[in-house]
Amino acid sequence: MTHKTFREAYGTLAQHAQTLREQQEPNIDNLLDIVTESVAAYKVCQTRIDAVEKALEKALSSAKHEDTGAAAQE
């Protein structure tokens, strides 16, 4: 399963976590698939989070420089 959005990837992680919590006995046959899908989903989520953090830092930095420039002109 290829995840395209954060929401899809996060949903996969939540679903797998729920599955693992509810198991009385570990289902070893499905464990490899769960781990593989979870790692892929985690990477998608982490990439999206990193991108948002960078965008926020850039936006806040730009806003700070604009505020500094406006204060200097006064």
Side-chain angles (χ1 to χ4, degrees):
M1 171 182 268
T2 302
H3 302 93
K4 295 180 180 173
T5 67
F6 177 89
R7 184 180 296 239
E8 290 171 346
Y10 186 82
T12 295
L13 289 172
Q15 181 182 24
H16 288 324
Q18 180 83 18
T19 298
L20 293 172
R21 275 194 299 270
E22 291 176 350
Q23 288 181 347
Q24 297 297 321
E25 294 181 21
N27 183 344
I28 299 300
D29 296 326
N30 291 339
L31 190 57
L32 182 58
D33 289 338
I34 288 173
V35 169
T36 302
E37 288 179 10
S38 295
V39 168
Y42 172 81
K43 288 179 181 179
V44 169
C45 289
Q46 190 62 53
T47 299
R48 298 287 194 254
I49 290 168
D50 289 345
V52 168
E53 285 178 345
K54 287 178 185 173
L56 285 173
E57 287 172 5
K58 184 177 179 181
L60 292 174
S61 177
S62 294
K64 186 176 182 180
H65 289 296
E66 288 175 9
D67 289 344
T68 304
Q73 291 177 354
E74 291 178 3

Coordinates of all heavy atoms in Angstrom, one line a residue:
M1 N 0.8 -1.2 0.0 CA 0.0 0.0 0.0 C 0.9 1.2 0.0 O 1.7 1.4 0.8 CB -0.9 0.0 1.2 CG -1.6 1.3 1.4 SD -2.6 1.3 2.9 CE -4.2 0.7 2.3
T2 N 0.7 2.1 -1.0 CA 1.4 3.4 -1.0 C 0.6 4.5 -0.5 O -0.6 4.7 -0.9 CB 1.8 3.7 -2.5 OG1 2.6 2.6 -3.0 CG2 2.6 4.9 -2.6
H3 N 1.1 5.2 0.4 CA 0.4 6.3 1.0 C 0.8 7.6 0.3 O 1.9 7.9 0.1 CB 0.8 6.5 2.5 CG 0.5 5.2 3.3 ND1 1.5 4.3 3.5 CD2 -0.6 4.8 3.9 CE1 0.9 3.3 4.2 NE2 -0.3 3.6 4.5
K4 N -0.2 8.4 0.0 CA 0.0 9.6 -0.7 C -0.2 10.8 0.3 O 0.4 11.9 0.0 CB -0.9 9.8 -1.9 CG -0.7 8.7 -2.9 CD -1.6 8.9 -4.1 CE -1.3 7.8 -5.1 NZ -2.3 7.7 -6.2
T5 N -0.9 10.7 1.3 CA -1.2 11.8 2.2 C -0.8 11.4 3.6 O -0.7 10.2 4.0 CB -2.7 12.2 2.2 OG1 -3.4 11.2 2.8 CG2 -3.1 12.5 0.8
F6 N -0.6 12.5 4.4 CA -0.4 12.3 5.8 C -1.5 11.5 6.5 O -1.3 10.6 7.3 CB -0.2 13.6 6.5 CG 0.0 13.5 8.0 CD1 1.3 13.3 8.5 CD2 -1.0 13.6 8.9 CE1 1.5 13.2 9.9 CE2 -0.8 13.5 10.3 CZ 0.4 13.3 10.8
R7 N -2.7 11.9 6.1 CA -3.9 11.3 6.7 C -4.0 9.8 6.5 O -4.3 9.0 7.4 CB -5.2 12.0 6.2 CG -6.5 11.5 6.8 CD -7.7 12.3 6.3 NE -7.6 13.6 6.6 CZ -8.5 14.3 7.3 NH1 -9.6 13.7 7.7 NH2 -8.3 15.6 7.6
E8 N -3.7 9.4 5.2 CA -3.7 8.0 4.9 C -2.7 7.2 5.7 O -2.9 6.2 6.3 CB -3.5 7.8 3.4 CG -4.6 8.2 2.5 CD -4.2 8.2 1.0 OE1 -3.0 8.1 0.7 OE2 -5.1 8.3 0.2
A9 N -1.5 7.8 5.7 CA -0.4 7.1 6.5 C -0.7 7.1 8.0 O -0.4 6.0 8.6 CB 0.9 7.9 6.2
Y10 N -1.2 8.1 8.5 CA -1.5 8.2 9.9 C -2.6 7.2 10.2 O -2.6 6.5 11.3 CB -1.9 9.6 10.4 CG -2.1 9.7 11.8 CD1 -1.1 9.9 12.7 CD2 -3.4 9.6 12.4 CE1 -1.2 10.0 14.1 CE2 -3.6 9.7 13.8 CZ -2.5 9.9 14.6 OH -2.7 10.0 15.9
G11 N -3.6 7.1 9.3 CA -4.6 6.1 9.5 C -4.1 4.7 9.5 O -4.6 3.8 10.3
T12 N -3.1 4.4 8.7 CA -2.5 3.0 8.7 C -1.8 2.8 10.0 O -2.0 1.7 10.6 CB -1.5 2.9 7.5 OG1 -2.2 3.0 6.3 CG2 -0.8 1.6 7.5
L13 N -1.1 3.8 10.5 CA -0.4 3.6 11.8 C -1.4 3.3 12.9 O -1.2 2.5 13.7 CB 0.5 4.8 12.1 CG 1.7 5.0 11.2 CD1 2.4 6.3 11.5 CD2 2.7 3.8 11.4
A14 N -2.5 4.1 12.9 CA -3.5 4.0 14.0 C -4.1 2.6 13.9 O -4.4 1.9 14.9 CB -4.5 5.1 13.8
Q15 N -4.4 2.2 12.7 CA -5.1 0.9 12.5 C -4.2 -0.3 12.9 O -4.6 -1.2 13.6 CB -5.5 0.7 11.0 CG -6.2 -0.6 10.7 CD -6.5 -0.8 9.2 OE1 -5.8 -0.2 8.4 NE2 -7.5 -1.5 8.9
H16 N -2.9 -0.2 12.6 CA -2.0 -1.3 13.0 C -1.8 -1.3 14.5 O -1.7 -2.3 15.1 CB -0.7 -1.1 12.2 CG -0.7 -1.5 10.8 ND1 -1.5 -2.5 10.3 CD2 -0.1 -1.0 9.7 CE1 -1.4 -2.6 9.0 NE2 -0.5 -1.7 8.6
A17 N -1.7 -0.1 15.1 CA -1.5 0.0 16.5 C -2.7 -0.7 17.2 O -2.6 -1.4 18.2 CB -1.4 1.4 17.0
Q18 N -3.9 -0.4 16.7 CA -5.2 -0.9 17.3 C -5.2 -2.5 17.1 O -5.5 -3.2 18.1 CB -6.4 -0.3 16.6 CG -7.7 -0.9 17.0 CD -8.2 -0.1 18.3 OE1 -7.7 1.0 18.6 NE2 -9.1 -0.7 18.9
T19 N -4.8 -2.9 15.9 CA -4.7 -4.4 15.7 C -3.8 -5.1 16.7 O -4.1 -6.1 17.3 CB -4.3 -4.7 14.3 OG1 -5.2 -4.1 13.3 CG2 -4.1 -6.1 14.0
L20 N -2.6 -4.5 16.9 CA -1.6 -5.1 17.8 C -2.1 -5.1 19.2 O -1.9 -6.0 20.0 CB -0.3 -4.4 17.6 CG 0.4 -4.6 16.2 CD1 1.6 -3.8 16.1 CD2 0.8 -6.1 16.1
R21 N -2.8 -4.0 19.6 CA -3.3 -3.9 21.0 C -4.4 -4.9 21.3 O -4.4 -5.4 22.4 CB -3.8 -2.5 21.3 CG -2.8 -1.5 21.7 CD -3.5 -0.2 22.2 NE -4.3 0.4 21.3 CZ -3.9 1.4 20.4 NH1 -2.7 1.8 20.4 NH2 -4.7 1.9 19.6
E22 N -5.2 -5.2 20.3 CA -6.3 -6.0 20.5 C -6.0 -7.5 20.4 O -6.8 -8.4 20.8 CB -7.4 -5.7 19.5 CG -8.1 -4.3 19.8 CD -9.1 -4.0 18.7 OE1 -9.2 -4.6 17.7 OE2 -9.8 -2.9 18.9
Q23 N -4.9 -7.9 19.9 CA -4.5 -9.3 19.7 C -4.3 -9.9 21.1 O -3.6 -9.4 21.9 CB -3.2 -9.4 18.9 CG -3.4 -9.2 17.5 CD -2.1 -9.3 16.7 OE1 -1.0 -9.5 17.2 NE2 -2.2 -9.4 15.4
Q24 N -4.9 -11.1 21.3 CA -4.6 -11.9 22.5 C -3.3 -12.6 22.4 O -2.5 -12.7 23.3 CB -5.8 -12.9 22.7 CG -7.1 -12.3 23.0 CD -7.1 -11.5 24.2 OE1 -6.6 -11.8 25.2 NE2 -7.8 -10.3 24.2
E25 N -3.0 -13.1 21.2 CA -1.8 -13.7 20.9 C -1.2 -13.1 19.6 O -2.0 -12.8 18.7 CB -2.0 -15.2 20.7 CG -2.4 -16.0 21.9 CD -2.6 -17.5 21.6 OE1 -2.0 -18.0 20.6 OE2 -3.3 -18.1 22.4
P26 N 0.1 -12.9 19.5 CA 0.6 -12.3 18.3 C 0.4 -13.1 17.1 O 0.6 -14.3 17.2 CB 2.1 -12.1 18.6 CG 2.3 -12.5 20.1 CD 1.1 -13.1 20.6
N27 N 0.0 -12.5 16.0 CA -0.2 -13.3 14.8 C 1.1 -13.0 14.0 O 1.3 -12.1 13.2 CB -1.4 -12.7 14.0 CG -1.6 -13.5 12.7 OD1 -0.8 -14.2 12.3 ND2 -2.8 -13.3 12.2
I28 N 2.1 -13.9 14.1 CA 3.4 -13.8 13.5 C 3.3 -13.8 12.0 O 4.0 -13.1 11.3 CB 4.3 -15.0 14.0 CG1 4.5 -14.9 15.5 CG2 5.6 -14.9 13.2 CD1 5.1 -13.7 16.0
D29 N 2.3 -14.5 11.4 CA 2.1 -14.5 10.0 C 1.9 -13.1 9.4 O 2.3 -12.8 8.3 CB 1.0 -15.4 9.6 CG 1.3 -16.9 9.9 OD1 2.5 -17.3 9.9 OD2 0.4 -17.6 10.3
N30 N 1.2 -12.3 10.1 CA 0.8 -10.9 9.7 C 1.8 -9.9 10.1 O 1.8 -8.7 9.7 CB -0.6 -10.5 10.1 CG -1.6 -11.3 9.4 OD1 -1.4 -11.9 8.4 ND2 -2.8 -11.4 10.1
L31 N 2.7 -10.2 11.1 CA 3.5 -9.2 11.7 C 4.5 -8.5 10.7 O 4.7 -7.3 10.7 CB 4.3 -9.9 12.8 CG 5.1 -8.9 13.7 CD1 4.2 -7.9 14.3 CD2 5.8 -9.7 14.8
L32 N 5.1 -9.3 9.8 CA 6.0 -8.7 8.8 C 5.3 -7.7 8.0 O 5.8 -6.6 7.7 CB 6.6 -9.8 8.0 CG 7.7 -9.3 6.9 CD1 8.8 -8.5 7.6 CD2 8.2 -10.4 6.1
D33 N 4.1 -8.0 7.5 CA 3.3 -7.0 6.7 C 3.0 -5.8 7.5 O 3.1 -4.7 7.0 CB 2.0 -7.7 6.2 CG 2.2 -8.7 5.1 OD1 3.3 -8.7 4.5 OD2 1.4 -9.6 4.9
I34 N 2.6 -6.0 8.7 CA 2.2 -4.8 9.6 C 3.4 -3.9 9.8 O 3.3 -2.7 9.7 CB 1.6 -5.3 11.0 CG1 0.2 -5.9 10.8 CG2 1.6 -4.2 12.0 CD1 -0.4 -6.6 12.0
V35 N 4.6 -4.5 10.1 CA 5.8 -3.8 10.3 C 6.2 -3.0 9.1 O 6.5 -1.8 9.1 CB 6.9 -4.6 10.9 CG1 8.2 -3.9 10.9 CG2 6.6 -5.1 12.3
T36 N 6.2 -3.7 7.9 CA 6.6 -3.1 6.7 C 5.7 -1.9 6.3 O 6.2 -0.9 6.0 CB 6.6 -4.2 5.5 OG1 7.4 -5.2 5.9 CG2 7.0 -3.6 4.2
E37 N 4.4 -2.1 6.4 CA 3.4 -1.0 6.1 C 3.6 0.1 7.1 O 3.5 1.3 6.7 CB 2.0 -1.6 6.1 CG 1.6 -2.4 5.0 CD 0.2 -3.0 5.0 OE1 -0.6 -2.5 5.9 OE2 -0.1 -3.8 4.2
S38 N 3.8 -0.2 8.4 CA 4.0 0.8 9.4 C 5.2 1.6 9.2 O 5.2 2.9 9.3 CB 4.0 0.2 10.8 OG 2.7 -0.4 11.1
V39 N 6.3 1.0 8.8 CA 7.5 1.8 8.6 C 7.3 2.7 7.4 O 7.7 3.9 7.4 CB 8.7 0.8 8.3 CG1 9.9 1.5 7.8 CG2 9.1 0.1 9.6
A40 N 6.7 2.2 6.3 CA 6.5 3.1 5.1 C 5.5 4.2 5.5 O 5.8 5.4 5.1 CB 5.8 2.2 4.0
A41 N 4.5 4.0 6.3 CA 3.6 5.0 6.7 C 4.3 6.0 7.6 O 4.1 7.2 7.5 CB 2.4 4.4 7.4
Y42 N 5.1 5.6 8.5 CA 5.9 6.4 9.4 C 6.8 7.4 8.6 O 6.8 8.6 8.9 CB 6.7 5.6 10.4 CG 7.7 6.5 11.2 CD1 7.2 7.2 12.3 CD2 9.0 6.6 10.8 CE1 8.1 8.0 13.0 CE2 9.9 7.4 11.5 CZ 9.4 8.1 12.6 OH 10.3 8.9 13.3
K43 N 7.4 6.9 7.6 CA 8.3 7.7 6.7 C 7.5 8.8 6.0 O 7.9 9.9 5.9 CB 9.0 6.8 5.7 CG 10.1 6.0 6.3 CD 10.8 5.1 5.3 CE 11.9 4.3 6.0 NZ 12.5 3.4 5.0
V44 N 6.3 8.5 5.5 CA 5.4 9.5 4.9 C 5.1 10.5 5.9 O 5.2 11.7 5.6 CB 4.2 8.8 4.3 CG1 3.1 9.9 3.9 CG2 4.5 7.9 3.1
C45 N 4.6 10.1 7.1 CA 4.3 11.1 8.1 C 5.5 12.0 8.5 O 5.3 13.2 8.6 CB 3.7 10.4 9.4 SG 2.1 9.6 9.2
Q46 N 6.6 11.4 8.7 CA 7.8 12.1 9.1 C 8.2 13.1 8.0 O 8.5 14.3 8.3 CB 9.0 11.2 9.4 CG 10.1 11.9 10.1 CD 9.8 12.5 11.4 OE1 9.2 11.8 12.3 NE2 10.0 13.8 11.6
T47 N 8.1 12.7 6.8 CA 8.4 13.6 5.7 C 7.5 14.8 5.6 O 7.9 16.0 5.5 CB 8.4 12.9 4.3 OG1 9.3 11.8 4.4 CG2 8.7 13.8 3.1
R48 N 6.2 14.6 5.8 CA 5.2 15.6 5.8 C 5.4 16.6 7.0 O 5.4 17.8 6.9 CB 3.8 15.1 5.9 CG 3.4 14.2 4.7 CD 3.2 15.1 3.5 NE 2.5 14.3 2.5 CZ 3.1 13.9 1.4 NH1 4.4 14.1 1.2 NH2 2.4 13.2 0.5
I49 N 5.7 16.0 8.2 CA 6.0 16.8 9.4 C 7.2 17.7 9.2 O 7.2 18.9 9.5 CB 6.1 16.0 10.6 CG1 4.7 15.4 11.0 CG2 6.7 16.7 11.8 CD1 4.8 14.3 12.0
D50 N 8.3 17.1 8.7 CA 9.5 17.9 8.4 C 9.2 19.0 7.4 O 9.7 20.2 7.6 CB 10.6 17.0 7.8 CG 11.1 16.0 8.9 OD1 10.9 16.2 10.1 OD2 11.8 15.0 8.4
A51 N 8.4 18.8 6.4 CA 8.1 19.8 5.4 C 7.3 20.9 6.0 O 7.6 22.1 5.7 CB 7.3 19.2 4.2
V52 N 6.4 20.6 6.9 CA 5.6 21.6 7.5 C 6.4 22.4 8.5 O 6.3 23.7 8.5 CB 4.4 21.0 8.3 CG1 3.7 22.0 9.2 CG2 3.4 20.4 7.3
E53 N 7.3 21.8 9.2 CA 8.2 22.5 10.1 C 9.1 23.5 9.4 O 9.2 24.6 9.8 CB 9.1 21.5 10.9 CG 8.3 20.8 12.0 CD 9.2 19.8 12.8 OE1 10.3 19.5 12.3 OE2 8.8 19.4 13.9
K54 N 9.6 23.1 8.2 CA 10.5 23.9 7.4 C 9.7 25.1 6.9 O 10.2 26.3 6.9 CB 11.1 23.2 6.3 CG 12.3 22.3 6.8 CD 12.9 21.5 5.7 CE 13.9 20.5 6.2 NZ 14.4 19.6 5.2
A55 N 8.5 24.9 6.4 CA 7.6 25.9 5.9 C 7.3 26.9 7.0 O 7.3 28.1 6.7 CB 6.4 25.3 5.3
L56 N 7.0 26.4 8.2 CA 6.6 27.3 9.3 C 7.8 28.2 9.7 O 7.7 29.4 9.9 CB 6.1 26.5 10.5 CG 4.7 26.0 10.4 CD1 4.4 25.1 11.6 CD2 3.7 27.1 10.4
E57 N 9.0 27.5 9.8 CA 10.2 28.3 10.1 C 10.5 29.4 9.1 O 10.8 30.5 9.4 CB 11.4 27.3 10.2 CG 11.4 26.4 11.4 CD 12.5 25.4 11.3 OE1 13.4 25.4 10.4 OE2 12.5 24.5 12.2
K58 N 10.3 29.1 7.8 CA 10.5 30.0 6.7 C 9.5 31.2 6.9 O 9.9 32.4 6.7 CB 10.4 29.4 5.4 CG 10.7 30.3 4.2 CD 10.7 29.5 2.9 CE 10.9 30.5 1.7 NZ 10.9 29.8 0.5
A59 N 8.2 30.8 7.1 CA 7.2 31.8 7.2 C 7.4 32.7 8.4 O 7.3 34.0 8.3 CB 5.8 31.2 7.2
L60 N 7.8 32.1 9.5 CA 8.0 32.9 10.7 C 9.2 33.8 10.6 O 9.3 34.9 11.1 CB 8.1 32.0 11.9 CG 6.8 31.3 12.3 CD1 7.1 30.3 13.4 CD2 5.7 32.3 12.7
S61 N 10.2 33.3 9.9 CA 11.5 34.0 9.7 C 11.2 35.2 8.8 O 11.6 36.3 9.1 CB 12.5 33.1 9.1 OG 13.7 33.9 8.8
S62 N 10.4 35.0 7.8 CA 10.0 36.1 6.9 C 9.2 37.2 7.6 O 9.4 38.4 7.4 CB 9.2 35.6 5.7 OG 10.0 34.8 4.9
A63 N 8.3 36.7 8.4 CA 7.4 37.6 9.2 C 8.3 38.4 10.1 O 8.1 39.6 10.3 CB 6.3 36.9 9.9
K64 N 9.2 37.8 10.8 CA 10.1 38.5 11.7 C 10.9 39.5 11.0 O 11.1 40.6 11.6 CB 11.0 37.4 12.4 CG 11.8 38.0 13.5 CD 12.6 36.9 14.3 CE 13.4 37.5 15.4 NZ 14.1 36.5 16.1
H65 N 11.5 39.2 9.9 CA 12.3 40.2 9.1 C 11.4 41.3 8.6 O 11.9 42.5 8.6 CB 13.0 39.5 7.9 CG 14.1 38.6 8.3 ND1 15.2 39.0 9.0 CD2 14.2 37.2 8.2 CE1 16.0 38.0 9.2 NE2 15.4 36.9 8.8
E66 N 10.2 41.1 8.3 CA 9.3 42.1 7.8 C 9.0 43.1 9.0 O 9.0 44.3 8.9 CB 8.0 41.6 7.3 CG 8.2 40.9 5.9 CD 6.9 40.2 5.4 OE1 5.8 40.4 6.0 OE2 7.0 39.5 4.4
D67 N 8.7 42.5 10.2 CA 8.5 43.3 11.4 C 9.7 44.1 11.8 O 9.6 45.3 12.1 CB 8.1 42.4 12.6 CG 6.7 41.8 12.4 OD1 5.9 42.3 11.6 OD2 6.4 40.8 13.1
T68 N 10.9 43.5 11.7 CA 12.1 44.3 12.0 C 12.3 45.4 11.0 O 12.7 46.5 11.4 CB 13.3 43.3 11.9 OG1 13.1 42.2 12.8 CG2 14.6 44.0 12.3
G69 N 12.1 45.2 9.7 CA 12.2 46.2 8.7 C 11.2 47.3 8.9 O 11.5 48.5 8.8
A70 N 10.0 47.0 9.3 CA 8.9 48.0 9.5 C 9.3 48.8 10.7 O 9.1 50.1 10.7 CB 7.6 47.3 9.7
A71 N 9.8 48.2 11.8 CA 10.2 48.9 13.0 C 11.4 49.9 12.7 O 11.4 51.0 13.3 CB 10.5 47.9 14.1
A72 N 12.3 49.5 11.9 CA 13.4 50.3 11.5 C 13.0 51.5 10.7 O 13.7 52.5 10.8 CB 14.5 49.5 10.8
Q73 N 11.9 51.4 9.9 CA 11.5 52.5 9.1 C 10.8 53.6 9.9 O 10.6 54.7 9.5 CB 10.6 52.0 8.0 CG 11.3 51.2 6.9 CD 10.4 50.7 5.9 OE1 9.2 50.8 6.0 NE2 11.0 50.1 4.8
E74 N 10.3 53.2 11.1 CA 9.5 54.1 11.9 C 10.3 55.1 12.6 O 11.4 55.3 12.8 CB 8.7 53.4 13.0 CG 7.6 52.6 12.3 CD 6.8 51.8 13.3 OE1 7.0 51.8 14.5 OE2 5.9 51.1 12.9

